[in-house]
Amino acid sequence: MFNELKEIRKEFKQHSNKSRAEIGQKFFKTKKGEYGEGDVFLGSTVPEQRKIAETHKDLPIKYIEALIRSKIHEERLVALFILIKQFQKNKDKKLVNFYLSHRNRVNNWDLVDSSADKILGQAILDGLKDKWLLYSLAKSKKLWDKRIAIIATFQFIKNNKFEDTLKISEILIKDEHDLIHKAVGWMLREVGKKNQDVLKDFLKKHYKQMPRTMLRYAIEKFGEEKRKKYLTGAI
């Protein structure tokens, strides 16, 4: 089975691309002091990574762990793609616990956005985990814990359950990081796509204190005139 791990890394090498890797390093903010500091990219595309994950979807957990502990961004993302596939097939609580115990390696926005709702959000809906965990993560000092908390609720939104998205948005509404502003605004927008009245009620209470980016994301699907009123405080 060790040969399978070697095969995965061989496939990555075949798909590596220096110019794409350099773009990834810049796009995901990997310089010193930036949110993705130290992240390493090979330059493979997401479709290529999904194909690798599909080929190796039954990879044993100890080798998934080797990938998720990797310094290479694409290896961590493939580890998550495989973990999602295994969780969707088996709904095994151990896989959720594995995800939570390795969430320090789910440490860039695409890693969070690809996995939080599909693993943690779905696990909560399935009764494998209690939703109090999301509130604990939302109150964390760690950027990625907070993003996991709000993005996990995307699975609730898909099932027309909005309460926890709104409550966690209230917790994060004064957060200072742009990546939290975008994530909260995105989830609020998704609530509005399901039920615009629910979003409008939330905005009525909070839009004046919302960071500009968060508000822009939340009202993106409104008409131009309505957006202008929210942005100028004329509601």
Side-chain angles (χ1 to χ4, degrees):
M1 189 59 68
F2 177 68
N3 287 335
E4 188 173 3
L5 187 58
K6 289 175 66 176
E7 179 61 28
I8 290 172
R9 286 176 166 154
K10 181 181 177 181
E11 291 172 33
F12 271 122
K13 189 174 182 180
Q14 291 171 344
H15 294 303
S16 63
N17 181 290
K18 185 177 179 181
S19 61
R20 284 202 303 260
E22 291 174 352
I23 292 170
Q25 300 280 156
K26 294 177 181 178
F27 187 67
F28 288 96
K29 306 295 184 183
T30 63
K31 291 181 180 179
K32 185 175 178 60
E34 294 181 322
Y35 62 74
E37 180 179 347
D39 214 348
V40 176
F41 286 77
L42 296 174
S44 64
T45 66
V46 172
E48 289 166 347
Q49 293 164 49
R50 289 191 181 279
K51 186 175 180 180
I52 292 171
E54 178 62 29
T55 301
H56 301 279
K57 60 186 177 183
D58 296 320
L59 191 70
I61 197 71
K62 63 180 178 179
Y63 298 119
I64 297 176
E65 183 171 23
L67 292 174
I68 206 167
R69 288 184 177 275
S70 173
K71 66 180 180 179
I72 296 170
H73 186 97
E74 291 95 334
E75 290 193 4
R76 300 201 305 283
L77 186 53
V78 164
L80 291 169
F81 286 157
I82 294 172
L83 196 68
I84 290 165
K85 287 179 179 296
Q86 293 188 7
F87 177 68
Q88 289 175 338
K89 180 180 179 180
N90 300 319
K91 296 298 179 70
D92 188 341
K93 188 175 181 179
K94 290 180 181 178
L95 296 174
V96 187
N97 291 337
F98 175 91
Y99 178 76
L100 289 169
S101 66
H102 291 83
R103 69 182 188 277
N104 66 314
R105 305 305 298 151
V106 186
N107 57 351
N108 217 311
W109 59 262
D110 64 322
L111 303 178
V112 173
D113 296 359
S114 297
S115 61
D117 62 316
K118 296 176 181 66
I119 298 177
L120 183 54
Q122 187 61 53
I124 293 169
L125 284 179
D126 291 340
L128 298 175
K129 286 290 180 181
D130 195 291
K131 66 182 180 181
W132 69 262
L133 179 59
L134 297 183
Y135 292 86
S136 177
L137 292 173
K139 294 174 183 177
S140 170
K141 294 182 179 180
K142 297 178 180 179
L143 169 62
W144 305 119
D145 279 357
K146 291 183 283 189
R147 188 157 176 126
I148 286 171
I150 187 64
I151 298 298
T153 71
F154 196 8
Q155 203 70 10
F156 303 172
I157 297 168
K158 294 171 188 176
N159 287 272
N160 295 303
K161 299 177 184 293
F162 311 127
E163 180 182 3
D164 295 298
T165 301
L166 301 180
K167 287 182 177 179
I168 290 171
S169 294
E170 287 177 337
I171 292 171
L172 296 175
I173 204 165
K174 294 182 179 179
D175 194 271
E176 296 181 355
H177 205 290
D178 183 64
L179 286 178
I180 299 301
H181 301 169
K182 291 177 179 178
V184 172
W186 172 24
M187 290 301 100
L188 290 172
R189 184 181 71 217
E190 294 302 321
V191 169
K193 286 162 68 175
K194 287 282 191 176
N195 190 321
Q196 197 169 99
D197 289 339
V198 171
L199 174 57
K200 286 180 177 178
D201 285 346
F202 181 90
L203 292 174
K204 185 177 181 180
K205 297 176 185 176
H206 301 294
Y207 84 95
K208 289 185 177 180
Q209 66 184 111
M210 290 169 68
R212 202 72 164 178
T213 298
M214 187 186 296
L215 179 59
R216 285 186 182 277
Y217 270 59
I219 64 175
E220 188 177 284
K221 297 299 181 181
F222 289 1
E224 183 178 355
E225 185 177 345
K226 195 76 168 178
R227 291 199 307 272
K228 285 182 179 179
K229 286 184 177 181
Y230 276 109
L231 293 170
T232 57
I235 293 294

